[in-house]
Structures are given as structure tokens and as C-alpha cells.
Amino acid sequence: MTWASIDLNADLGEGFGRWRLTDDEQLLSVVTSANVACGFHAGDPATMRRVCATAAEHGVRIGAQVSYRDLAGFGRRAMDVPAGELAAEVAYQIGALEVFARAAGSRVSYVKPHGALYNRAVWDEEQARAVVGGVLLAGGALPVLGLPGSRLHAAAEEAGLPVVGEAFADRAYTPEGTLVPRTEEGAVITDADAVVERSVAVARFGTVTARDGTSVPVRARSLCLHGDTPGAVTLARRVRARLEDAEVRVEAFV
């Protein structure tokens, strides 16, 4: 499936106190949607406020990147959180970010889980429903950004929430269309040229090459560029330029 346009999203605000992981200012000059850490895997009030203000200045859409409560593990450790507790924590994170988005003259436009929660919600129906429950608890019919065909998207659609399919140019895929776990060798693609060309394939042809060499269909309206990848800003600029050269419009999905 091909798209005349595609959104570029990046995980931003992934710092805490004096420590910064992502070059938020530079990436916000390239991407069209910002997945802002809401304090559970990274981020703090001052960081959230700064990123929201800069995103608003650039006309970049603000998304709440919700996570398990796991600062020490950057939200990438497997956790078992009761559904009711998880729903409340998701709503809490969205609400916190909304304060800073509105202060910047913008708003939270969508929700995307992070790390272990993102991967868990692909197959775990209970956790997926809990995330959706948190979105509903926060109020508003916010779109849910996630992996096409996931339990998360099924739960969101059942609840009447819009869903947006996402693809990853710098992550390895299984033949089944899921992401290769970061614990496995080759899970992250470090060849910049390969990442750039995979981005075009996703946008124009709706396909990505799996780790076994097969072509996997991906119905993606948004392409994720990881902000914590070395050389992320340069890579993001290359991806955007190559997409535009391929006559793909780069624009937000909301």
C-alpha cells in the first residue's frame, strides 16, 4: 500500500534533570510529530515544557509517549502491571503532558506507548486494553500510534479511537511483521544508507525487508526515527530529503 504522504515521528524529551539523550531542538526542525516522554521512562516537567514549547514553535504535533514506570530501565524492561493501575498511569502521563502542550499554545494530538509497553501491547490483549482505557480516562478521542495489526490497535478501534500505523526504518522485522527484540543481534539497523532506502520503500510501496530477506507489507502512515540513535539528526535530515526527492509529502497525520 502506498501513500502520497507520510509523517515522521521521533521520541523526544528523553532526558532527566541535567542529562539529555536526544537533540530535541535539531530533531524538531526535521520531524512532523514528537513523541514526548512523560516522566515514566524519561523526561521531567522542565524538559516536557521545553520540548512542547519548541514543538509548537515549529508546528510539530505533540504526542504523549506513555510508558511503564521504569526510569532506571528506560522503560525497556518487562513489567507486570495490573490493568487498572496501568490505565491510571497512562491517563496520568497524558494529563501531565497536556498541561505543558496547552501552555505552549498547542495540545496533545495522539498517544504512543514506549519500549516494553509498546511491544507488550502488540500481543497482550489485557495490557492493550489498559492502555486504551488510560487514553479514554484522559478524555478526548486521541489517535493511537502503534504497530499495524497489533492488539493495541484492535482495542483502540473497538473503543472508537482512531489508529495510525507506524513503521521503523532502523529496526529489524520478523517475517510476521513484528519487531525483532532489542535483545537479539541485528535488532537495530545501523547502516545509514539502508535506513534511508527502507524509509522510501515504506512510504512509496508499503513494504519492508524482514531479516530473512522476505518482503513484509507494512500499512504505515507514520515513520519512526529514533532520537537516541548516534547521528540521529543527520540521519533524520537525510531521510526527509530522500523522501522529498522521491516525491513523498512529509506531513503530520493529524
Side-chain angles (χ1 to χ4, degrees), residues 193-215:
D193 292 336
V195 172
V196 170
E197 292 311 313
R198 281 164 64 92
S199 300
V200 175
V202 168
R204 293 198 62 189
F205 310 114
T207 61
V208 67
T209 302
R211 62 177 173 179
D212 68 348
T214 59
S215 181

Side-chain angles (χ1 to χ4, degrees), residues 28 31-33 53-62 106 252 254:
L28 284 167
V31 301
T32 47
S33 295
T54 307
E57 289 173 6
H58 286 279
V60 174
R61 301 297 185 268
I62 297 170
S106 185
V254 290

Side-chain angles (χ1 to χ4, degrees), residues 168-192:
F168 297 81
D170 61 354
R171 289 294 309 279
Y173 277 75
T174 69
E176 294 72 35
T178 58
L179 299 179
V180 173
R182 283 182 176 268
T183 54
E184 297 184 19
E185 186 177 354
V188 178
I189 297 171
T190 57
D191 184 328

Side-chain angles (χ1 to χ4, degrees), residues 83-176:
E85 183 178 336
L86 179 58
E89 291 188 341
V90 166
Y92 179 93
Q93 292 174 79
I94 297 169
L97 188 64
E98 180 71 9
V99 169
F100 299 116
R102 289 190 177 274
S106 185
R107 54 167 292 187
V108 172
S109 296
Y110 64 95
V111 176
K112 174 186 172 179
H114 165 81
L117 181 57
Y118 185 102
N119 293 323
R120 181 77 171 263
V122 169
W123 59 269
D124 188 316
E125 185 170 352
E126 181 184 61
Q127 296 284 276
R129 288 182 179 277
V131 172
V132 170
V135 176
L136 295 174
L137 184 60
L142 293 175
V144 176
L145 181 62
L147 206 66
S150 63
R151 294 287 187 183
L152 176 64
H153 272 188
E157 288 180 325
E158 184 179 329
L161 298 177
V163 298
V164 180
E166 177 181 40
F168 297 81
D170 61 354
R171 289 294 309 279
Y173 277 75
T174 69
E176 294 72 35

